[in-house]
Amino acid sequence: MYKNKHQWARKIGFGFSPNDDIPLDINAWNIEQLNDEFPSFGLNKVGLWPEKYNFSIKQRFERLDKHITYRNKVQAENIDRQEKNKRVRASKKEADVDKYDVYKLWNSAIYDNDIFKQRLLHFWTNHFTVGGSNGFRNYVIGDLIYNVIYKNLNGSFDDLLYLVTSHPGMLDYLDNQTSIGENSKEAKSLRKKGKIAGLNDNLARELLELHTVSPARKYSETDIRNTAKVLAGWGVFVGDFIEEFNNHKKWKNISGNTKFEEFVLAPYVKGRAEPGKKVVMGKTFPSGPKALRKLTNMLAKDDFTAQHLSKKLAVHFIGENASKGEVKVIYDTWKKSNGDLAAVHRATLKVAQATKNKKFLWPSTWMFQSIRVSGARFIKENESGGGFGRIQDNGRPAYEPLGILDEIGHNFWASRQPDGYSEKKLDWVSTEHLDRRIRIASRIFRAGPSRSGEEIADLLDFSDRTKLVISKGRGSEEKFIIALCSSDFMEV
Amino acid sequence: MISRRHFLSIAAPALALSGYPVHGFTKEPIEGRIIVIMLQGGMDGLLAIPPVGDDNLFKQRKALVASNPLKLNPLFGIHPNFRNFSKMLKSNEASIVHATSFPYTGRSHFEGQNVAQSGSKLPFSTNTGWLGRAMDFAKITGKALSLDAPLLIRGAPEFDNFYPASIEKTRSPQTALIDLIKETHDGDVMIAIDKLSRGSMSGPSRLRARDPLSLATKAGESMRELNGPRVAVLTIPEFDDHSSIGSTTGHHPELFTLLDNVFYNLKIALKEQWDNTIVLTTTEFGRTVQENGSAGTDHGYGSVGLLAGGLINKSSVVANWPGLASKDLYEKRDLFATIDYRSVCSACIEAAFGLDHDFIIEKVFEDKKIARVYEHIFG
Amino acid sequence: MTKIKLKIILFVILMVFGTQVQAEKNVLCIQKFLTKTVFNPGPSDGAWGKKTETAINQLMSQANNFESQNIKKSDAEKICKTLSGSQGSKLHEIGQFKRFPIAITEDIGEIKSLTDFDFTNITISTNVTYKRCAFDIIHSEGWRRAKGKVGIKNGTLVFKNHEWYAGLASSGREHLLNEEANLKLTNTGVHGILPHVSYVAEGEVDKPVQYITLGKNYIKATKPSYFEEGVEGSNNYTDRYGSTYTFQLSFCS
């Protein structure tokens, strides 16, 4: 039971900063977050996130298109190579959106009021891992995070699953854009030209193994192969993407979509799809783009998906030692609500409040909590617009937020394995990981926190042992670092 | 990242060692060193070490064979990007084990990586790594060259990691402060902070490179020291090339160059300790024999292990070659693994730590059926 | 007479038959041993065929550091004794896996050489002499790969001190290595995820001073706007993967 509101806010969110208004009814407040429309509570004290830095998928593709067009133009020009590079770099800088996406992640974790929803956002972003900026994905990962996952945290899991699976970022990350039906029109014409064309099973395998039913479901290689056949046709090479959209009529004929957003969010090309029916785990799927939705619906409704994800949610908020009973509460809700995420998340809140189990916080969760709870000005506030984002140290810009996430080994934009970051404590306990936490705590101290180490210990009802150790620290920086790096702060 | 587990459950087998040195040692314990390079994502063994003498290779793979492999013998060639490694083969300080795998056929990265590190047949069934357990029995120390401590090395009495920080305007924390922080913790965190306090990450403070080549150099340098670690674990990620894997050039070949240079850097940095060293690669599985529709390969079964170090006396390719005709493939799609890679791991432990084969397979791998390939690699 | 004759014939037959039996037994012993290995002797029929001969020769060759063997049918008894003797279990173990010896005939070639530090397509006029310049090597994506001080003597560069950046080129992060780290830029270059640095064996490159002779026609480049003063010029270097670096001199005095 979390009687201390500040601790409870850390268990399910990022804690309360000295500037936060503490809600009277904390449970009602949590549930209100879930039911609220995006953007939920707005930002506290620092003003709303500038609308101009919320990018729609359309804007993202337009910026990418503009940059690629300009780059091709410059490269064709007969000018000095250095000058070319300079211009291309400037154009890329102008077009980049991911830096704003990363700033937004920081800003929301540190300043937004909907802290439970932000934690859920991190959880689901990790569940549906898309990483490795390759020049294309860094334009769309933010769209997956903010426009797909965040906006569907209250919806049904089958919606979320379908939208994520058909998202251009996911299709690109797991190579589906290069998976072509063996009997498709395009494969036949490529083969005539002597080229290889056919399926790869990367997305199909991870869709079953990681995103939904897990290997416990005991599907066969044929199921994976047939899932790949259902998926074939989804995803378009970036280069073609804009060209095909510009060739609007052709696109309209293929997909029936007329809007750009619909086009990029359901990038299905009939000529690359595998014709005919496919059987996955005993169920038959028709040819055509609608089969994917039917398939993701089936997977979303599968009992093994409910088991897999209930366990994962419990472990994320409660900890590795989440009991079977705790998992069952979430699982029962999942089954009863048919995967209604709002209900499932409410159930997660319920067990998280009642539990005695502690979770060893992810490095990024720990860091955001450290900044927020201590009230440090780790990120310059964004009211001035544009000047936010860099860590301030005596007024001098130092590190990009993305670089810090890399340093602590917890970067949602980094190239990493598709199973995402581990929830296991031991995976985050090493001398180097702990060294990073001490260094980060020191940096936060020098960014001018408004709460001292002792104040944080009192606020969060630290153990007497930890309070005693804090008192032994020499000087306020040491006391502060001990408080943030103590077991009481790292585990909640 | 890979799922990794707790190591404390090893307490029971560790107790068996109270009378150390025990009968497990065949000979006087030697000062051998083991370096494991984990090739994450599944290396395509047929692209690295193509069996050019097997006609079926060219029937099964139309595009994915380098145009100019270096011929090792009538059956096997090696990708031209392994130039340093080829020199080591020529000078009898490297060997290859082909058509091999850990005993895992499920084709999941995460289960496969777990098996390759735990050495257990069943994924996620143990909290320690095969190397960690071997180190525990031989009472030796090691380091992982990564931000976290991988499962592979867990279970060792003293294991640590090295991964230099690069946060501006911070310095290594002071011992007194670390000791205070330690007082607030218990268990694993306390143990890790204790190591931090003892300055286990010592090294030139300005050396902050963290790419595999620089880490290899760093590993070699610290392992050649008198009381330096005797085990190092290094990871090279991104072998999961479902599309555009490359042939003569391309993504996999680039990784081969990187791996090749890691071998080279280790050798140079280890100096005379190279003679006491065995470096071996591991990977969670091989890749499909045929290319997929995206000019890549999907998850398969059998792959290849590359070994180098002065502990090798005579270079060779060790393989019970299963053939590449469709009827010879595992489930008609993957290279068969005819050598349990745990045999190779056992042989390396035997060579470097001096433990007896029967002892290793019983205590470290808990599987008495693992065959001995020591003679083939080190004989 | 007839009886004696018969006895002799019988004796001769027995003798021949007897040795035959003996020989077959040894062959069978070898064959049975081999069937428990990966060296296939063909059917265990006691007949010394080509398969049996090849298999036993391969096994014994593998057991003897790949020295070629010439075991014939007449050696069967000796070999059978060996297989049944104290070395039997070791030979059995060796026979479980095949070893293919390495016989590389092609020249692998020099891997690291001084020309790895290849700025030969940078051209500089022979009458250019400066005591001290700053130099930078910048990847085409804008990442600085090296910096330091260099002197120019009649168009020849003399590196004074230098620092090389290691790390993943594609990420653009800068990880500074100290100058004693024996690093050099190789013509394997920066491409994809490959870092461009590698360890240099002792004696391969002079350190810390490195000499590089440049060509004759040094062209003064236009002054990049992001340098405030004293830029003397720059030129490009392309590695074998097509990654381009700019070698840039500035602040010469």
Side-chain angles (χ1 to χ4, degrees):
Chain A
M1 279 296 279
Y2 286 82
K3 283 178 187 155
N4 182 321
K5 284 180 180 177
H6 291 275
Q7 282 290 75
W8 172 231
R10 290 211 304 132
K11 179 74 172 170
I12 50 86
F14 294 100
F16 290 127
S17 87
N19 296 325
D20 283 334
D21 299 322
I22 314 284
L24 289 172
D25 184 343
I26 207 153
N27 280 337
W29 165 75
N30 274 326
I31 291 183
E32 210 174 327
Q33 289 178 32
L34 289 176
N35 295 334
D36 210 348
E37 291 294 306
F38 174 91
S40 74
F41 270 61
L43 307 172
N44 188 16
K45 310 293 182 205
V46 291
L48 281 170
W49 177 261
E51 190 49 43
K52 63 175 174 175
Y53 297 133
N54 284 329
F55 299 102
S56 70
I57 187 83
K58 187 178 175 188
Q59 287 169 315
R60 288 164 190 272
F61 274 99
E62 281 169 354
R63 289 170 83 104
L64 177 63
D65 183 28
K66 198 176 155 199
H67 170 60
I68 292 174
T69 312
Y70 179 78
R71 191 189 64 187
N72 293 345
K73 193 183 127 228
V74 168
Q75 274 166 357
E77 274 176 45
N78 188 21
I79 49 168
D80 177 56
R81 189 197 290 265
Q82 203 171 336
E83 181 60 25
K84 271 184 194 176
N85 292 340
K86 201 184 127 198
R87 289 190 193 173
V88 169
R89 274 203 301 277
S91 152
K92 188 173 180 299
K93 205 175 165 191
E94 179 80 22
D96 271 352
V97 290
D98 55 341
K99 60 173 180 279
Y100 300 107
D101 294 333
V102 178
Y103 294 157
K104 188 173 174 180
L105 188 90
W106 280 69
N107 216 79
S108 301
I110 294 168
Y111 297 118
D112 281 15
N113 276 345
D114 58 345
I115 51 175
F116 178 49
K117 216 167 165 183
Q118 293 298 332
R119 279 284 295 276
L120 287 169
L121 180 66
H122 291 200
F123 170 81
W124 287 105
T125 297
N126 188 61
H127 179 70
F128 292 116
T129 290
V130 173
S133 298
N134 64 349
F136 167 63
R137 286 197 295 276
N138 49 0
Y139 282 87
V140 295
I141 290 176
D143 182 72
L144 182 70
I145 295 177
Y146 301 114
N147 298 334
V148 174
I149 297 176
Y150 189 87
K151 286 187 182 177
N152 286 281
L153 287 175
N154 295 335
S156 65
F157 179 68
D158 49 11
D159 281 344
L160 180 63
L161 181 65
Y162 173 72
L163 292 171
V164 170
T165 309
S166 59
H167 191 271
M170 183 62 85
L171 293 169
D172 184 73
Y173 178 53
L174 292 178
D175 297 320
N176 206 66
Q177 85 283 23
T178 63
S179 184
I180 304 170
E182 269 152 357
N183 300 305
S184 67
K185 236 174 156 179
E186 184 158 332
K188 282 177 186 164
S189 91
L190 283 170
R191 274 199 292 269
K192 257 185 209 161
K193 291 177 204 156
K195 288 180 180 162
I196 299 162
L199 300 169
N200 78 63
D201 68 17
N202 202 3
L203 177 59
R205 188 179 295 278
E206 307 308 9
L207 174 63
L208 300 184
E209 179 180 336
L210 299 176
H211 300 164
T212 61
V213 293
S214 87
R217 177 70 171 74
K218 300 215 187 303
Y219 42 82
S220 67
E221 283 293 324
T222 311
D223 289 325
I224 294 174
R225 189 86 189 151
N226 290 346
T227 301
K229 285 181 184 172
V230 174
L231 282 163
W234 286 89
V236 188
F237 284 104
V238 185
D240 308 342
F241 221 103
I242 292 153
E243 207 174 287
E244 287 190 34
F245 179 68
N246 290 340
N247 197 350
H248 201 67
K249 275 183 190 163
K250 180 182 155 198
W251 178 252
K252 200 176 164 188
N253 289 341
I254 295 169
S255 67
N257 289 332
T258 51
K259 285 185 183 167
F260 188 89
E261 282 83 351
E262 285 174 28
F263 162 65
V264 290
L265 285 173
Y268 178 82
V269 179
K270 199 179 165 189
R272 294 180 194 172
E274 176 71 10
K277 291 174 182 169
K278 299 106 190 166
V279 179
V280 178
M281 300 188 324
K283 204 177 162 190
T284 307
F285 296 91
S287 61
K290 285 179 180 158
L292 179 60
R293 179 71 208 221
K294 289 190 169 119
L295 173 70
T296 55
N297 278 358
M298 177 189 83
L299 293 170
K301 297 276 182 287
D302 196 287
D303 187 51
F304 281 87
T305 301
Q307 290 177 33
H308 178 207
L309 288 175
S310 303
K311 175 98 193 278
K312 225 179 148 175
L313 268 165
V315 167
H316 181 76
F317 285 98
I318 292 164
E320 279 169 80
N321 298 325
S323 69
K324 279 183 181 163
E326 287 170 331
V327 175
K328 194 171 178 296
V329 174
I330 302 172
Y331 168 78
D332 286 345
T333 308
W334 186 294
K335 295 295 280 184
K336 216 165 127 187
S337 68
N338 233 338
D340 172 21
L341 290 178
V344 170
H345 292 156
R346 274 200 300 275
T348 308
L349 261 185
K350 199 171 127 192
V351 285
Q353 186 165 36
T355 193
K356 280 179 184 157
N357 285 312
K358 285 185 174 181
K359 167 83 191 285
F360 189 80
L361 295 173
W362 267 350
S364 70
T365 314
W366 169 85
M367 181 176 70
F368 292 139
Q369 290 196 359
S370 297
I371 298 166
R372 186 168 184 135
V373 171
S374 70
R377 282 178 71 251
F378 202 53
I379 280 195
K380 193 180 169 190
E381 292 134 2
N382 68 23
E383 64 268 88
S384 56
F388 55 90
R390 278 169 179 265
I391 295 158
Q392 300 295 302
D393 190 23
N394 300 328
R396 283 157 60 198
Y399 238 88
E400 293 288 339
L402 196 66
I404 289 283
L405 293 177
D406 260 348
E407 278 302 314
I408 59 175
H410 206 226
N411 178 0
F412 290 125
W413 279 261
S415 173
R416 61 201 194 278
Q417 300 209 121
D419 59 342
Y421 291 115
S422 169
E423 298 281 7
K424 295 193 164 55
K425 176 177 177 178
L426 270 214
D427 290 342
W428 301 109
V429 175
S430 72
T431 52
E432 294 290 356
H433 268 302
L434 294 161
D435 169 83
R436 298 305 180 278
R437 295 206 181 189
I438 296 171
R439 286 171 193 257
I440 297 277
S442 157
R443 285 298 306 266
I444 295 172
F445 177 79
R446 278 179 273 156
S450 50
R451 281 178 177 142
S452 69
E454 289 103 324
E455 283 166 350
I456 291 169
D458 285 339
L459 186 77
L460 303 176
D461 291 334
F462 278 6
S463 68
D464 291 342
R465 177 178 77 170
T466 298
K467 282 181 182 170
L468 180 70
V469 177
I470 292 172
S471 72
K472 290 192 220 165
R474 296 163 305 175
S476 54
E477 177 168 357
E478 277 201 11
K479 289 178 201 287
F480 184 80
I481 294 172
I482 296 167
L484 295 186
C485 295
S486 68
S487 60
D488 299 68
F489 199 86
M490 285 189 182
E491 273 181 288
V492 67
Chain B
M1 299 286 122
I2 308 154
S3 287
R4 294 160 184 141
R5 299 209 159 197
H6 203 300
F7 71 96
L8 284 180
S9 69
I10 197 65
L15 276 177
L17 253 186
S18 49
Y20 170 90
V22 290
H23 63 280
F25 287 93
T26 41
K27 26 199 162 296
E28 283 294 298
I30 57 159
E31 283 282 300
R33 279 140 172 82
I34 294 184
I35 299 167
V36 179
I37 308 171
M38 299 197 289
L39 309 176
Q40 209 175 57
M43 180 169 76
D44 194 325
L46 294 176
L47 191 56
I49 310 296
V52 288
D54 188 333
D55 291 342
N56 285 313
L57 175 69
F58 304 95
K59 287 178 192 157
Q60 297 280 17
R61 299 191 146 199
K62 287 167 192 74
L64 304 189
V65 185
S67 60
N68 51 344
L70 179 73
K71 263 196 129 179
L72 298 176
N73 50 42
L75 184 52
F76 296 104
I78 186 168
H79 194 282
N81 286 12
F82 287 108
R83 293 176 77 196
N84 291 299
F85 191 80
S86 299
K87 282 206 159 177
M88 292 176 189
L89 284 169
K90 208 167 179 177
S91 54
N92 285 318
E93 44 190 349
S95 270
I96 294 163
V97 182
H98 215 322
T100 181
S101 176
F102 284 94
Y104 173 73
T105 56
R107 303 194 184 100
S108 153
H109 287 297
F110 319 105
E111 291 186 346
Q113 284 163 5
N114 188 277
V115 168
Q117 295 193 58
S118 70
S120 163
K121 273 185 172 174
L122 208 62
F124 303 107
S125 60
T126 173
N127 303 324
T128 54
W130 58 263
L131 189 54
R133 293 191 296 272
M135 290 159 70
D136 186 33
F137 290 122
K139 293 258 186 279
I140 60 173
T141 63
K143 275 185 185 180
L145 303 166
S146 55
L147 189 57
D148 47 11
L151 173 66
L152 179 62
I153 205 169
R154 290 187 204 161
E158 272 287 308
F159 68 88
D160 200 356
N161 64 328
F162 173 81
Y163 198 72
S166 184
I167 304 175
E168 280 183 28
K169 298 185 180 71
T170 65
R171 59 183 71 162
S172 293
Q174 297 196 335
T175 313
L177 172 64
I178 300 170
D179 286 341
L180 284 175
I181 293 169
K182 187 176 84 181
E183 285 181 38
T184 76
H185 289 275
D186 309 284
D188 304 309
V189 187
M190 189 195 72
I191 292 167
I193 297 178
D194 186 53
K195 285 178 207 157
L196 183 62
S197 160
R198 283 183 279 133
S200 51
M201 309 178 308
S202 58
S205 61
R206 288 185 67 209
L207 188 73
R208 292 188 293 176
R210 300 183 292 198
D211 57 285
L213 288 178
S214 307
L215 288 174
T217 303
K218 174 71 192 162
E221 281 173 350
S222 64
M223 289 173 86
R224 76 165 179 247
E225 282 166 21
L226 193 61
N227 292 314
R230 283 175 52 196
V231 168
V233 180
L234 188 61
T235 303
I236 302 180
E238 300 194 11
F239 276 88
D240 193 23
D241 282 328
H242 286 270
S243 91
S244 308
I245 189 169
S247 55
T248 309
T249 58
H251 190 251
H252 243 58
E254 282 171 18
L255 292 168
F256 294 161
T257 304
L258 177 62
L259 175 57
D260 188 56
N261 283 321
V262 164
F263 276 112
Y264 178 79
N265 280 13
L266 285 170
K267 181 182 168 177
I268 297 296
L270 277 159
K271 287 191 172 167
E272 65 282 356
Q273 279 299 346
W274 175 254
D275 292 343
N276 295 328
T277 298
I278 180 71
V279 186
L280 72 153
T281 63
T282 66
T283 193
E284 61 257 38
F285 44 59
R287 310 193 71 82
T288 47
V289 172
Q290 290 192 355
E291 57 251 67
N292 63 22
S294 313
T297 46
D298 291 328
H299 304 180
Y301 178 33
S303 185
V304 74
L306 304 181
L307 297 96
L311 288 173
I312 292 172
N313 294 317
K314 183 84 185 164
S315 291
S316 67
V317 182
V318 182
N320 288 344
W321 190 244
L324 287 174
S326 294
K327 65 172 173 49
D328 297 324
L329 302 182
Y330 175 70
E331 294 185 348
K332 292 186 182 157
R333 49 171 276 177
D334 303 337
L335 175 64
F336 236 104
T338 49
I339 299 178
D340 184 337
Y341 204 66
R342 296 179 302 167
S343 286
V344 178
C345 303
S346 303
C348 292
I349 294 168
E350 186 175 343
F353 299 169
L355 292 171
D356 179 76
H357 175 75
D358 291 338
F359 181 88
I360 296 167
I361 60 173
E362 193 186 333
K363 300 286 185 184
V364 175
F365 291 104
E366 295 179 4
D367 185 347
K368 291 183 188 175
K369 286 187 188 140
I370 296 173
R372 187 167 182 261
V373 295
Y374 178 90
E375 297 294 339
H376 302 80
I377 298 169
F378 300 100
Chain C
M1 252 323 259
T2 349
K3 264 189 179 177
I4 295 167
K5 233 183 183 176
L6 196 73
K7 270 182 187 170
I8 291 169
I9 291 167
L10 204 67
F11 179 72
V12 170
I13 290 172
L14 272 175
M15 254 184 61
V16 172
F17 192 68
T19 47
Q20 262 183 354
V21 167
Q22 196 56 37
E24 303 265 334
K25 211 175 104 187
N26 283 327
V27 174
L28 198 64
C29 145
I30 293 170
Q31 287 172 334
K32 280 189 171 165
F33 186 92
L34 286 171
T35 50
K36 288 177 196 156
T37 73
V38 292
F39 297 93
N40 179 13
S44 295
D45 53 6
W48 184 270
K50 208 179 168 191
K51 275 191 167 174
T52 305
E53 187 168 303
T54 308
I56 190 65
N57 273 294
Q58 281 183 346
L59 171 66
M60 297 312 278
S61 165
Q62 182 169 311
N64 291 290
N65 250 342
F66 304 120
E67 278 169 31
S68 69
Q69 306 289 311
N70 192 14
I71 300 164
K72 292 207 164 61
K73 190 180 172 183
S74 52
D75 303 312
E77 188 181 348
K78 195 178 80 195
I79 294 295
C80 178
K81 261 189 189 160
T82 310
L83 297 178
S84 336
S86 59
Q87 290 185 57
S89 67
K90 192 172 177 188
L91 284 165
H92 175 262
E93 187 182 308
I94 288 169
Q96 297 312 299
F97 302 100
K98 245 183 206 169
R99 290 181 78 184
F100 299 83
I102 302 292
I104 299 173
T105 51
E106 291 167 60
D107 183 21
I108 301 167
E110 253 330 288
I111 296 166
K112 309 273 171 185
S113 73
L114 290 168
T115 55
D116 283 347
F117 204 150
D118 187 358
F119 290 101
T120 48
N121 64 345
I122 297 177
T123 50
I124 195 165
S125 156
T126 47
N127 56 19
V128 172
T129 298
Y130 283 110
K131 207 172 174 186
R132 200 175 163 85
C133 297
F135 83 90
D136 288 278
I137 296 173
I138 297 169
H139 186 265
S140 57
E141 292 289 327
W143 313 312
R144 181 195 264 168
R145 309 316 305 176
K147 66 171 184 181
K149 295 277 184 281
V150 66
I152 305 175
K153 202 174 176 185
N154 300 331
T156 298
L157 293 190
V158 182
F159 284 76
K160 291 184 186 302
N161 57 49
H162 48 266
E163 288 177 312
W164 296 86
Y165 293 79
L168 302 184
S170 57
S171 74
R173 309 238 174 278
E174 292 182 348
H175 302 304
L176 198 62
L177 286 140
N178 69 43
E179 63 182 78
E180 294 304 312
N182 288 356
L183 295 170
K184 71 174 181 180
L185 186 69
T186 74
N187 66 357
T188 57
V190 182
H191 183 68
I193 69 155
L194 293 183
H196 77 288
V197 293
S198 77
Y199 204 87
V200 178
E202 279 179 8
E204 281 197 25
V205 173
D206 293 336
K207 60 159 191 153
V209 181
Q210 298 176 23
Y211 297 91
I212 294 173
T213 307
L214 299 174
K216 286 172 187 163
N217 310 307
Y218 174 65
I219 303 158
K220 272 205 172 186
T222 48
K223 181 178 163 183
S225 59
Y226 46 87
F227 267 90
E228 285 165 7
E229 56 174 83
V231 173
E232 305 297 337
S234 65
N235 214 324
N236 293 328
Y237 155 69
T238 306
D239 72 16
R240 67 173 171 179
Y241 290 113
S243 290
T244 304
Y245 307 94
T246 300
F247 181 82
Q248 193 167 276
L249 293 172
S250 55
F251 304 108
C252 289
S253 58

